[in-house]
Amino acid sequence: MALPHASSGQVVRIGQQAGESLSQFSSIALAKTEQLELIRMTVPAGRALPEHAVRGQITLQCLEGEVAFDAHGRTTILRGGELLHLEGGAPHALRANADSLLLLTIVLAS
Amino acid sequence: MALPHASSGQVVRIGQQAGESLSQFSSIALAKTEQLELIRMTVPAGRALPEHAVRGQITLQCLEGEVAFDAHGRTTILRGGELLHLEGGAPHALRANADSLLLLTIVLAS
């Protein structure tokens, strides 16, 4: 699903929409600027994102559902209403324990 | 309320807690790293934050409530489940239309 990126000051709906199913994988870039990229993801239960790393720091916020997040040699559980940040370059992976809605923020500045 | 900053990979609860009132102003730095600062704010209805600017880009997410956000010469309404980003240096102000819970992310990288 291609959407125009939000401009500075423009409101974006990130919460679960009425009638929206989280049982299909999706990944939408809400905004991308010089310093930030904002990505909204729906991840169905059982779906895993294999280990990877990004250069910049990230924050990962769980809006709905539950994911198991692997980083720094341990697994942490991230539930709706919770957030974590991760230092740049740290390998990480996740698996959805339930149909989940996630907001990923990536710092692009070097 | 002083809390230790979250470390990389540590889960932080940002949603409204059971029994938590949003009718008192609070501002808590959840994390501060080289690249990011994460601030959780509760802003009671009627409370305003006067115009100011920060150097880096920000995202402002409304978790609960409703705020009127002034930037770029216009006022936009930000409600629970909505988010906006703002370019670095842009003057902005806000007023809470209802008791609100906000997550502010500031990019500190130059």
Side-chain angles (χ1 to χ4, degrees), chain A residues 32-95:
Chain A
K32 186 170 183 178
T33 69
E34 280 184 20
Q35 294 190 317
L36 279 178
E37 185 167 7
L38 301 174
I39 299 171
R40 181 187 192 269
M41 289 193 294
T42 59
V43 186
R47 178 79 175 247
L49 277 63
E51 187 174 89
H52 63 287
V54 294
R55 182 177 173 198
Q57 290 195 357
I58 67 170
T59 68
L60 181 67
Q61 180 180 348
C62 184
L63 296 153
E64 303 285 343
E66 180 183 306
V67 298
F69 184 84
D70 299 324
H72 298 311
R74 61 180 184 270
T75 300
T76 52
I77 302 299
L78 192 67
R79 298 184 177 86
E82 295 179 338
L83 162 150
L84 57 79
H85 70 91
L86 193 71
E87 62 192 29
H92 57 281
L94 68 78
R95 170 179 289 272

Side-chain angles (χ1 to χ4, degrees), chain B residues 34-57:
Chain B
E34 279 184 20
Q35 294 189 316
L36 280 177
E37 185 166 7
L38 301 174
I39 299 171
R40 182 187 192 269
M41 288 193 296
T42 59
V43 186
R47 177 80 175 248
L49 278 62
E51 187 173 89
H52 63 287
V54 295
R55 181 177 173 198
Q57 290 195 357

Side-chain angles (χ1 to χ4, degrees), chain A residues 6 8-15 31 33 35-36 57 61 72 74 77 80-87 107 109, chain B residues 6 8-15 31 33 35-36 57 59 61 72 74 77 80-87 107 109:
Chain A
S8 177
Q10 184 185 341
V11 171
V12 181
R13 176 90 201 155
I14 54 170
T33 69
Q35 294 190 317
L36 279 178
Q57 290 195 357
Q61 180 180 348
H72 298 311
R74 61 180 184 270
I77 302 299
E82 295 179 338
L83 162 150
L84 57 79
H85 70 91
L86 193 71
E87 62 192 29
V107 180
Chain B
S8 178
Q10 184 184 342
V11 171
V12 182
R13 176 90 202 156
I14 56 170
T33 68
Q35 294 189 316
L36 280 177
Q57 290 195 357
T59 69
Q61 180 180 349
H72 298 311
R74 60 179 185 272
I77 302 299
E82 294 179 339
L83 161 151
L84 57 79
H85 68 92
L86 194 70
E87 63 192 28
V107 179

